[in-house]
Amino acid sequence: MKPIVQISLDLTNLAEALDTAAMALRAGVDWLEAGTPFILAEGLHGVRHLAEAFPGVPLVADLKTMDGGYLEAEMMAKAGATHVVVMARAHAETIKCVVKAGRDFGVKVMGDNMVCEDMVAGAKWLEDLGCDYIIHHIGYDERRGIAAQGKRMPSPLDQLREVVQAVQVPVQAVGGLSLEQAIQCPAYGAPLVVLGAPLTIDADAFKTADGNLEESLRLICEKIHAYGDVPVGPTATI
């Protein structure tokens, strides 16, 4: 598949999220993400505003669903989200409920393997339960807490090759990647590239970063899109 650039709107203010989304789309971003902080702050109404403001643009609702899977997915689908996120650490029945809701309401399901004891097995399990995409994810608190102990900060790149090889569906790597690392993700066989906190969004304040963000994003999108078609699954070139 062709590389896709997704911007995570990890913001807590609707007006700023709308402005950032418009700027990102002008720069060449393909997908928008209603980040978890945004959903907590603005809820369904915020997602609905994004969907109405940018019709036809894929919109990921990063719910991090752990229970009540069918209802959460249904609500976000009706608000205009095209993709929802469910966690691998949820019960299998919850994941199956989200997958069913996805089919019933026409949204895609992204399965997130954050904090799985075996990240590769967690990704495969999500695929087996019907998820359309895998998010290979090292969490914000996990990264920062481990680094604060003086230990090496874990990276999703550590096992990205293994995750890509284990599944047939597209993979996205999330969690503390530098811009350079994010741009390299298609070379690992992971065509879904996320830009956001702390790349283009300040990680601590969750506010738009200073500087000429639009021009920077345009150059980043051009580099990512220049990869062309990315093989997906065990046949990926990595």
Side-chain angles (χ1 to χ4, degrees), residues 188-231:
Y188 284 75
L192 305 176
V193 181
V194 182
L195 305 175
L199 303 179
T200 55
I201 306 296
D202 182 84
D204 295 306
F206 292 113
K207 293 181 179 178
T208 305
D210 293 328
N212 190 345
L213 180 56
E214 184 171 340
E215 183 59 28
S216 297
L217 269 178
R218 182 172 291 107
L219 294 172
I220 292 166
C221 290
E222 289 174 357
K223 288 183 179 180
I224 295 169
H225 290 145
Y227 275 98
D229 290 336
V230 179

Side-chain angles (χ1 to χ4, degrees), residues 36-124:
T36 309
F38 177 80
I39 290 176
L40 288 171
E42 300 286 357
L44 284 167
H45 299 295
V47 173
R48 187 173 292 110
H49 278 291
L50 283 172
E52 291 173 350
F54 307 105
V57 177
L59 177 58
V60 178
D62 189 10
L63 290 166
K64 293 185 172 67
T65 293
M66 287 293 294
D67 194 21
Y70 192 94
L71 179 60
E72 287 194 4
E74 177 185 2
M75 291 169 69
M76 284 298 165
K78 290 181 176 179
T82 60
H83 296 65
V84 294
V85 178
V86 65
M87 305 305 292
R89 296 306 295 263
H91 195 279
E93 294 302 322
T94 295
I95 298 169
K96 288 189 281 186
C97 284
V98 174
V99 169
K100 185 178 188 307
R103 291 170 181 163
D104 289 348
F105 298 100
V107 298
K108 298 295 186 181
V109 177
M110 306 182 82
D112 188 322
N113 70 353
M114 189 174 73
V115 301
C116 284
E117 292 183 10
D118 185 328
M119 302 288 274
V120 177
K124 178 60 178 169

Side-chain angles (χ1 to χ4, degrees), residues 88-212:
R89 296 306 295 263
H91 195 279
E93 294 302 322
T94 295
I95 298 169
K96 288 189 281 186
C97 284
V98 174
V99 169
K100 185 178 188 307
R103 291 170 181 163
D104 289 348
F105 298 100
V107 298
K108 298 295 186 181
V109 177
M110 306 182 82
D112 188 322
N113 70 353
M114 189 174 73
V115 301
C116 284
E117 292 183 10
D118 185 328
M119 302 288 274
V120 177
K124 178 60 178 169
W125 189 65
L126 287 164
E127 180 188 38
D128 290 343
L129 288 171
C131 292
D132 302 291
Y133 300 89
I134 299 300
I135 304 172
H136 176 49
H137 189 180
I138 308 296
Y140 178 80
D141 291 333
E142 177 183 355
R143 300 192 312 270
R144 290 168 65 90
I146 290 173
Q149 298 172 38
K151 301 176 183 178
R152 176 187 174 276
M153 184 183 295
S155 167
L157 296 186
D158 295 341
Q159 290 187 288
L160 182 54
R161 289 183 173 88
E162 290 85 349
V163 170
V164 166
Q165 290 290 297
V167 299
Q168 301 282 346
V169 297
V171 174
Q172 179 181 85
V174 180
L177 297 179
S178 68
L179 280 174
E180 292 76 13
Q181 289 172 328
I183 291 169
Q184 293 169 4
C185 282
Y188 284 75
L192 305 176
V193 181
V194 182
L195 305 175
L199 303 179
T200 55
I201 306 296
D202 182 84
D204 295 306
F206 292 113
K207 293 181 179 178
T208 305
D210 293 328
N212 190 345

